[in-house]
Amino acid sequence: MRLSWARAFPLRLWGGCRGPKMRRVTGIEWAARPMCHSSSDAPEPPSDHGSQNTPRDEEQGGPAAFAAALEELERAPGRRLGRLELVAAALAAMPALGVARQLDAYNRLLRLLPRGPWVPRGPLHRLFAPFPRQQECGLQVLEQMERYGVMPDAETRFLLLAVFGPRSRPVRKCQRMLYWLPRMLHANPYPLPAQLPPPGLAAACLGLRRIANDPDARLSVYQQPQPEQGDNEGSTQPYIVGIQSAEQQELLARHGPEHPVFVEGPFPRPPPPRLFYYVLRGDPLPPHLREPPPDPERSLYYPLYLDLDLERGPWDDDEFDVNEVEEGPVFALCMAGTGDQRTLAKWIAGLQQTNPVLGQTPVIFRLGDGDSSAGSPGDGDALHLEGSRAAELEPPEVAWGRRAQGEG
Amino acid sequence: STAPPSPLTRGNEEVFPFPEISNEELQEINQFVGPVEKFFAEEVDSKKIDQDAKIPPETLKGLGDLGLFGMQIPEEYGGLGLSNTMYARLGEIISLDGSIAVTLAAHQAIGLKGILITGTDEQKAKYLPKLASGEHIAAFCLTEPGSGSDAASIQTRATLSEDGKHFLLNGSKVWISNGGLASVFTVFARTEIVEKDGQVKDKITAFIVERDFGGVTHGKPEDKLGIRGSNTCEVHFENTKVPVENVLGEVGGGFKVAMNILNSGRFSMGSASAGMIKKLIEMTAEHACTRKQFNKKLSEFGLIQEKFCFMAVKAYVMESMAYLTAGMMDRPGLPDCSVEAAMVKVFSSEGAWACVSEALQILGGLGYMKDYPYERYLRDSRILLIFEGTNEILRMYIALTGMQHAGKILTDKIKEIKKGNIGLAVQELVNKVRDSTGRKVDYGIMEERGGLVHPSLQESGKKLEENVYYFGTTVRGLLTRFGKTIVDEQLALKRVSDIVINLYAMTAAISRASRSISIGLRNHDHDVLLTNIFCTEAYFKNNYALAQLQKYADENLDDYIKKAAKQILEKRAYICSHPLDRTF
C-alpha cells in the first residue's frame, strides 16, 4: 500500500489541484493524500452507536452497545474514510456508555486504525511532522485513557507501534504514561473505594471514617433513617451518625464543664458524594490548664522531666511553623440527614451516654451555612441537655426563625 | 574544663583499686559455697522443675535449711546477714537453676527488701524471722494490668476505716512472682492524703499485707516461656483489712520506697549471669573438644573459637562489673549506686542472652533438643531482659540521670556561651580545634610510676581515657543542642547510655585485671588478654556511637528511622508492595 515518494509525488500534486471531491476516494488516492484530509469526506455517522441503544436501558446497555458497535465496524473494515472522526466520536460517546474505564474498549478502538500507512518512512519524513492529525487522534485516545486513569497495557503499546511506528508521538506518550500513571494512581494515600455507596447512611459512614482517619475511632449510628433504604431514604426520619475516638473522649472529659463546647457546621465535603458534617469542638484552653503539671512521682524507673534550666537550641528547634494556627480541640464529628438543631440535639444526647460530662457542659449551636467557622454568636442558645427532652424544648420552626433573624 | 558525667565523676579512688574482701570473709564465703553447690548439683532436678512448672516442696525446704531465704537479713533476725559481695557470690551458684533463682530473688531482693530498708523495728522483729527461715515467703505487688512502669495509673485503693485503725485494700495485681506461695506481700496502693496546705491528693503507699488478713486470693499460675518453676499469678485483694502499723515508711511515701527497692536489687544479676555462662563454657567446651567433623575437632575451627572467646570476655566483664558495684555498695558512707546497678543489669542481661544463644549454636542440633539443658537456659535467660525494669527503660534511666548530673554542672557554662560571652566562645573554639586535630588525654590513670593501673594495661587505659574525654564533650554538645527536651530524644539517649555502660564495663575490667596482675593471681595474663580484647572492641563501638551523636552526622539515621516507623505505624502494617506486583 505504501508508494515510494517518487511515485507518490505526482499523485499528490494531481490530488491537490483537483480540490476536494464529494465522493469516496479509492485506496491509492487515500494513501496519496495524507496531508489534505478534510472533514467533508463522509464521516462515520455516530448514529451507528445510537442505533443499538434505543430499545434498552441506557445504563445497562451502554457497554454492550459499544461492544456491538465495535463489532459491526470490525466486520466491515473497508472504510478508509472518516476514521479519525470515528475515533473522535467513539471517544466522546464512551463516558456516556460507561466504558470509559475499560482498557478493552480502547484496545478494540485502536484496532480499527490502519497499521502501516501512518508509519513515517525514514528519518527525513519524521523531520517534517508526519501525519499530524492522525497522531493527534492517537494522542486523543491516550489522553482520554489518562483522564480516566486507565493503564495502557502491552497490547495497547503493540497496536500503537504498529499504527504509528516507533518514535512517534503516541508511542512516546504511551511510554510516558506507563511511567507516570502508576505513580499518579498510587499517589493518593487515602483512595476512595471503587464502588461508592449511594448517598445516605452508608455514604455518611464512609465519609466520616475518611474524615476521622483514625483506626481507633468508634462510629455510632444514633438514629437509623426511616424508611431504611431506597430512593426516599430518610424522608420520615433522618439518619444521625457520629464518630469519636477514645482520645477525644478523654480530652472532652478533661475540658471540664466550665468551658462551653460548640456545635458547628455544616461543613461541606466536596468529593462525591456531597456530604456535610458537623463538629463538636471547644475553644483552646489557656496554657496553664492545657496539660497537667509535671508530676515527679509519675514514673517508677526513670525521670520524665529533667530539672535543668536549659532550653532547646535554636538550630534544633523544629516546632515553630508560621502556618500553624492555634485551634481548639475537636471532640466529635457527625453527619446527619438534615442539619437542624433538633437532629443535632439528638446527636448530643447520644454522645452523652459515652461522655457523661456533656450533661453539665453548656452546648452552643453555631449552625451557619457553609464554612463559617466563627458563626454569629446570636445563633443558638446555651442548652443544658438532660436526655432527649432537650429536643422538645424548642419547636424547630421557632429555632429556624430565630436563626434567620439572627443572620438577617 | 568539661567534666564527664557520673559514674566517672565518682573519682578514681572509688573504682581503682578493685574492691577486695578480707581473708576471713573469703573463708566464710567459701564455707557457704560448698554446701550450696552440693545441694544444687545433687538435689535440684532442673529439668523436672521446668516440665512440671513447679518447685517441689522438698527443694524449698532444702533451700530454707541452707539459709538461702534470708541471705541479706541481719543475723539477729535469723538470717545470714551477708554483705552485697557475698550475696553476689552465692547468686552465681543459685543461678544454675533459673526458676529457683527467680523465686529467691522475688522473695528477698524485692519481696522483703522493703521491710529491711524502711521497716520499723517492730515490723522487722515481727516478720523477718519467719521470712528468713523460709517458713513464709514474700512477694512484691506493684504491677497492675494498666500500670507497668507508670505509677500514676495504679488503681488499687486503700481507704482508711472510720476508727482509723485499719486500711481497707481493694484491687488486683498481675504477674506477681511467688504470688501463689507467698504469705507476706508488699503491696502498693493509692491513698488519699491531706497535705499541709489542705489539698487532698492521691499518693501511693506501701503496705505489708499478710495472707491471714483475709480477702487475699490468687489466680492460677501463668504458663510461661521460661522460669516455669517460678509461680507467677494474679493476686486479688477484696476489702483486706490492713492495720495501720503495717504501713511501710509513711503514708503517701510509697513511691520512694518502691524506687529504693527496685534500684537496690539489680546488681546481683551480673554475677548470676556470669555464673551461668561459666558453667555453659564448661559444658560446651567439653562437647567442642570431643566432637569431630571433617577429621578435625570442633575446637580447631576459628568460628567456634571465636564463640568461646566471646563468652569468656562477657563473663569476665559481667563479673567485674557486678563485684565492683557490690564492693562500692558495701563501702560505708557511699551514696547510692543505682545507676551502676542499672548498668550492670543491662549489660548482663543482654550478654547472657547472646552467650546462651552462642552456646546453643556451638552444639548445633543437639543444643535444640530438650534432652540437653541449653534450650532451658535460653528460655530462662530471655526474661532477664524484661523483668526488674526492661532494658529500654533502664537505658533511659542511666542516660537521664547522667544528663541531670552533667546538666547541673554545665548549665552555667552553656548559658554563658549562649549569652555571647566572647572570651568563653573563643576558648571553646580553640578547644574544638585542638580536639579535632587530635589531643592527648591524660586523666592520671596511666602514669609511669604511681599510676593506678598496671603498665601492661596501658593501651586499654589510654583508650578509656580518650573515650571519657570525648564523651564529655559530646554530652556538652547534646545539652547545648537539646537542653531539657533531651527527654524526648530517646534514640540519642540510647547511644549515650550504651557508651556509659561500655565505659563502666571497661573501667571495671581494667581495674580487676590490674589487681589480678599486680598481686599475681592464677592465670593473670588471661585476665589481661580478655580485658584488652574487650577494651578494644568497646573503644570502637564507643567511637562509632560518639560519631553518630554529632549533629548532621552521616552515621546518624535517627530521622530516617523515625520517618519509616511513622509510616508503618500509620497504616499499622508493612506497607511496601509485594515483590511480585505489576502495574500493567
Side-chain angles (χ1 to χ4, degrees):
Chain A
M1 283 258 286
R2 296 190 61 187
L3 298 177
S4 71
W5 65 270
R7 293 197 56 199
F9 186 61
L11 287 171
R12 212 178 291 166
L13 274 183
W14 179 235
C17 294
R18 268 200 301 186
K21 282 284 266 239
M22 302 288 285
R23 68 173 180 84
R24 294 178 71 105
V25 188
T26 58
I28 295 181
E29 287 169 57
W30 170 267
R33 304 190 289 162
M35 301 279 208
C36 7
H37 185 93
S38 61
S39 55
S40 58
D41 289 332
E44 187 58 43
S47 58
D48 223 24
H49 304 284
S51 61
Q52 313 285 337
N53 263 346
T54 31
R56 266 171 273 150
D57 197 11
E58 268 297 327
E59 284 176 28
Q60 286 168 4
F66 194 74
L70 281 180
E71 268 170 32
E72 173 120 349
L73 289 165
E74 278 160 19
R75 253 185 289 127
R79 318 190 61 112
R80 273 181 229 112
L81 294 182
R83 268 187 283 231
L84 301 187
E85 281 81 8
L86 160 72
V87 170
L91 285 180
M94 272 169 121
L97 297 174
V99 290
R101 297 223 166 159
Q102 292 177 11
L103 179 61
D104 190 47
Y106 293 104
N107 281 346
R108 288 174 77 177
L109 196 59
L110 283 176
R111 254 184 244 141
L112 296 177
L113 299 174
R115 300 172 205 180
W118 294 351
V119 179
R121 299 171 294 193
L124 198 61
H125 193 180
R126 259 200 300 274
L127 203 57
F128 292 103
F131 306 109
R133 292 190 59 196
Q134 287 78 352
Q135 293 204 344
E136 288 282 345
C137 169
L139 284 179
Q140 268 173 26
V141 175
L142 287 173
E143 257 177 53
Q144 173 138 343
M145 282 170 79
E146 193 176 2
R147 203 175 312 128
Y148 285 97
V150 181
M151 278 284 295
D153 75 342
E155 192 187 345
T156 321
R157 204 164 149 267
F158 172 75
L159 286 167
L160 288 171
L161 272 175
V163 173
F164 297 105
R167 285 189 275 178
S168 58
R169 288 166 74 196
V171 172
R172 286 272 185 255
K173 182 169 172 70
C174 185
Q175 284 168 347
R176 266 181 263 126
M177 276 172 75
L178 287 171
Y179 182 79
W180 283 112
L181 226 51
R183 256 152 262 263
M184 296 295 136
L185 291 176
H186 293 146
N188 187 359
Y190 311 109
L192 277 170
Q195 293 284 47
L196 285 179
L201 182 63
C205 290
L206 178 68
L208 270 184
R209 278 210 195 282
R210 283 172 67 81
I211 299 176
N213 195 28
D214 187 359
D216 285 331
R218 267 193 357 256
L219 187 83
S220 345
V221 178
Y222 293 109
Q223 189 171 284
Q224 291 282 351
Q226 301 292 340
E228 293 259 330
Q229 271 146 13
D231 278 340
N232 51 348
E233 183 181 335
S235 46
T236 325
Q237 195 190 47
Y239 63 85
I240 307 177
V241 196
I243 194 167
Q244 194 187 37
S245 70
E247 285 166 1
Q248 286 175 319
Q249 270 184 318
E250 270 176 56
L251 270 177
L252 184 54
R254 235 193 297 151
H255 190 74
E258 314 88 42
H259 308 272
V261 294
F262 308 97
V263 175
E264 291 181 4
F267 300 108
R269 191 147 186 287
R274 193 167 171 77
L275 295 167
F276 293 90
Y277 66 94
Y278 301 85
V279 174
L280 178 73
R281 53 164 282 268
D283 276 336
L285 291 178
H288 63 271
L289 284 180
R290 212 168 290 176
E291 272 202 18
D295 184 9
E297 294 202 348
R298 181 82 197 253
S299 163
L300 284 166
Y301 289 95
Y302 70 94
L304 288 171
Y305 303 96
L306 284 185
D307 188 18
L308 294 176
D309 209 4
L310 294 165
E311 298 293 336
R312 206 174 170 103
W315 305 106
D316 285 282
D317 196 359
D318 301 322
E319 290 199 5
F320 181 73
D321 185 7
V322 186
N323 299 325
E324 227 176 71
V325 176
E326 182 78 48
E327 267 193 32
V330 169
F331 297 119
L333 295 166
C334 147
M335 283 190 187
T338 51
D340 58 328
Q341 193 155 323
R342 189 172 177 173
T343 328
L344 291 175
K346 283 197 195 148
W347 167 49
I348 300 286
L351 262 188
Q352 212 176 305
Q353 285 168 9
T354 41
N355 301 285
V357 72
L358 271 178
Q360 296 112 37
T361 318
V363 179
I364 304 183
F365 285 79
R366 287 190 186 155
L367 300 170
D369 40 357
D371 299 84
S372 55
S373 51
S376 48
D379 263 352
D381 293 309
L383 293 179
H384 286 270
L385 298 180
E386 296 137 10
S388 56
R389 282 185 56 244
E392 280 116 77
L393 280 180
E394 250 186 352
E397 307 85 44
V398 178
W400 277 107
R402 190 175 308 129
R403 196 179 318 136
Q405 277 175 11
E407 281 168 7
Chain B
S1 63
T2 59
S6 68
L8 301 137
T9 44
R10 291 201 181 284
N12 293 333
E13 322 75 55
E14 290 162 14
V15 289
F16 296 104
F18 198 74
E20 272 188 337
I21 56 173
S22 65
N23 220 356
E24 294 86 32
E25 283 184 27
L26 190 58
Q27 305 281 1
E28 208 183 308
I29 276 258
N30 286 336
Q31 275 182 338
F32 279 121
V33 164
V36 177
E37 268 181 355
K38 191 153 160 281
F39 179 77
F40 270 85
E42 289 170 15
E43 294 183 29
V44 169
D45 189 355
S46 302
K47 186 157 172 205
K48 190 157 170 300
I49 293 178
D50 186 62
Q51 262 176 349
D52 299 341
K54 193 170 147 52
I55 304 180
E58 311 83 57
T59 317
L60 286 173
K61 186 162 176 319
L63 290 170
D65 289 337
L66 283 168
L68 293 176
F69 275 99
M71 280 192 267
Q72 289 201 297
I73 299 182
E75 288 180 349
E76 55 202 2
Y77 297 109
L80 294 178
L82 300 177
S83 64
N84 289 325
T85 321
M86 301 204 256
Y87 176 57
R89 177 71 185 92
L90 284 180
E92 279 189 35
I93 315 166
I94 299 176
S95 71
L96 292 176
D97 185 71
S99 317
I100 296 184
V102 167
T103 307
L104 288 176
H107 168 77
Q108 40 189 339
I110 41 177
L112 51 85
K113 219 25 146 14
I115 310 179
L116 267 184
I117 299 181
T118 36
T120 59
D121 290 327
E122 298 93 34
Q123 287 167 341
K124 285 187 187 174
K126 187 172 171 201
Y127 291 109
L128 287 182
K130 291 244 173 76
L131 288 169
S133 64
E135 204 178 313
H136 285 168
I137 299 186
F140 182 79
C141 299
L142 175 61
T143 318
E144 292 184 14
S147 151
S149 338
D150 190 359
S153 38
I154 287 190
Q155 307 273 348
T156 310
R157 280 220 144 248
T159 38
L160 197 56
S161 60
E162 291 86 26
D163 55 359
K165 290 217 183 113
H166 287 112
F167 277 97
L168 283 174
L169 194 60
N170 273 301
S172 63
K173 300 283 185 184
V174 81
W175 295 340
I176 306 299
S177 302
N178 298 344
L181 309 169
S183 1
V184 175
F185 300 87
T186 310
V187 184
F188 291 83
R190 289 206 165 271
T191 45
E192 272 186 5
I193 58 164
V194 184
E195 297 211 332
K196 280 173 260 188
D197 46 359
Q199 261 192 327
V200 173
K201 274 200 180 163
D202 266 349
K203 287 218 165 178
I204 304 180
T205 313
F207 297 94
I208 309 176
V209 176
E210 289 178 49
R211 200 181 274 266
D212 303 331
F213 290 165
V216 179
T217 48
H218 64 96
K220 69 172 185 37
E222 308 263 3
D223 198 11
K224 300 189 289 289
L225 170 68
I227 51 167
R228 292 171 57 83
S230 149
N231 180 302
T232 311
C233 57
E234 298 177 357
V235 179
H236 306 278
F237 299 100
E238 262 186 59
N239 286 329
T240 311
K241 270 193 179 163
V242 183
V244 180
E245 299 86 43
N246 272 25
V247 171
L248 266 176
E250 38 173 64
V251 180
F255 188 78
K256 290 249 159 24
V257 173
M259 271 186 64
N260 286 338
I261 297 177
L262 290 168
N263 284 343
S264 63
R266 288 203 182 109
F267 70 95
S268 63
M269 196 181 285
S271 57
S273 317
M276 180 178 74
I277 295 177
K278 289 194 278 198
K279 177 101 194 302
L280 279 175
I281 293 181
E282 273 178 35
M283 300 190 326
T284 38
E286 195 54 55
H287 174 90
C289 294
T290 42
R291 182 164 169 89
K292 283 184 128 177
Q293 288 283 277
F294 310 119
N295 226 0
K296 270 165 64 159
K297 298 211 189 84
L298 281 190
S299 52
E300 290 171 36
F301 291 106
L303 288 173
I304 304 288
Q305 289 168 347
E306 189 192 352
K307 293 189 203 298
F308 276 106
C309 174
F310 173 77
M311 289 200 282
V313 164
K314 284 269 186 240
Y316 183 79
V317 176
M318 276 188 226
E319 277 180 326
S320 323
M321 283 170 86
Y323 284 107
L324 180 63
T325 316
M328 281 205 286
M329 285 165 77
D330 280 340
R331 215 168 281 178
L334 209 62
D336 79 316
C337 299
S338 48
V339 180
E340 283 82 0
M343 291 197 269
V344 169
K345 192 261 180 191
V346 173
F347 188 84
S348 318
S349 54
E350 299 194 339
W353 175 242
C355 286
V356 174
S357 196
E358 294 285 283
L360 198 150
Q361 183 77 13
I362 292 176
L363 258 79
L366 281 179
Y368 209 64
M369 300 301 152
K370 282 220 168 195
D371 297 328
Y372 287 75
Y374 300 91
E375 54 86 30
R376 193 182 67 240
Y377 279 118
L378 189 74
R379 283 185 289 116
D380 287 346
S381 59
R382 186 60 182 91
I383 191 69
L384 292 174
L385 288 113
I386 300 173
F387 72 178
E388 293 230 43
T390 40
N391 279 9
E392 284 79 20
I393 288 226
L394 286 182
R395 286 198 155 94
M396 291 297 115
Y397 173 62
I398 296 168
L400 285 171
T401 318
M403 286 290 163
Q404 176 87 44
H405 185 97
K408 286 220 160 61
I409 299 176
L410 301 172
T411 303
D412 297 321
K413 224 171 186 209
I414 295 180
K415 280 200 147 158
E416 285 290 304
I417 295 185
K418 280 192 178 174
K419 261 194 267 177
N421 184 339
I422 301 281
L424 209 54
V426 171
Q427 196 185 25
E428 286 308 306
L429 193 62
V430 168
N431 273 343
K432 274 211 171 65
V433 171
R434 280 172 71 188
D435 278 347
S436 52
T437 51
R439 155 199 280 270
K440 198 156 136 335
V441 182
D442 192 359
Y443 276 124
I445 301 184
M446 306 302 317
E447 268 160 47
E448 287 294 321
R449 261 186 247 147
L452 294 165
V453 173
H454 195 273
S456 56
L457 293 163
Q458 241 187 0
E459 289 294 325
S460 308
K462 281 212 178 66
K463 289 179 180 139
L464 175 63
E465 289 185 334
E466 207 185 301
N467 268 345
V468 167
Y469 175 74
Y470 284 115
F471 181 55
T473 41
T474 311
V475 164
R476 236 264 297 272
L478 282 175
L479 280 171
T480 319
R481 274 169 67 191
F482 296 116
K484 60 184 180 206
T485 62
I486 199 165
V487 185
D488 300 321
E489 303 286 324
Q490 285 202 338
L491 289 169
L493 287 176
K494 173 191 110 159
R495 291 189 186 96
V496 166
S497 67
D498 280 342
I499 299 174
V500 176
I501 294 173
N502 276 341
L503 290 176
Y504 186 56
M506 282 160 87
T507 318
I510 292 177
S511 171
R512 177 179 165 195
S514 173
R515 170 175 174 265
S516 178
I517 196 172
S518 302
I519 59 180
L521 290 174
R522 186 173 282 274
N523 290 331
H524 54 257
D525 51 340
H526 190 70
D527 278 30
V528 171
L529 184 63
L530 291 179
T531 308
N532 284 339
I533 296 175
F534 177 72
C535 284
T536 315
E537 280 177 0
Y539 173 68
F540 283 114
K541 282 193 210 153
N542 282 353
N543 279 347
Y544 188 66
L546 285 168
Q548 279 181 322
L549 281 173
Q550 309 300 328
K551 196 162 160 72
Y552 305 130
D554 280 331
E555 296 92 352
N556 188 337
L557 299 168
D558 289 352
D559 294 328
Y560 301 117
I561 293 175
K562 285 196 191 148
K563 185 169 168 188
K566 186 167 146 211
Q567 289 173 346
I568 296 170
L569 290 169
E570 224 174 44
K571 304 283 173 180
R572 297 187 187 184
Y574 176 70
I575 54 177
C576 294
S577 316
H578 197 263
L580 299 176
D581 277 339
R582 290 177 64 102
T583 48
F584 72 94

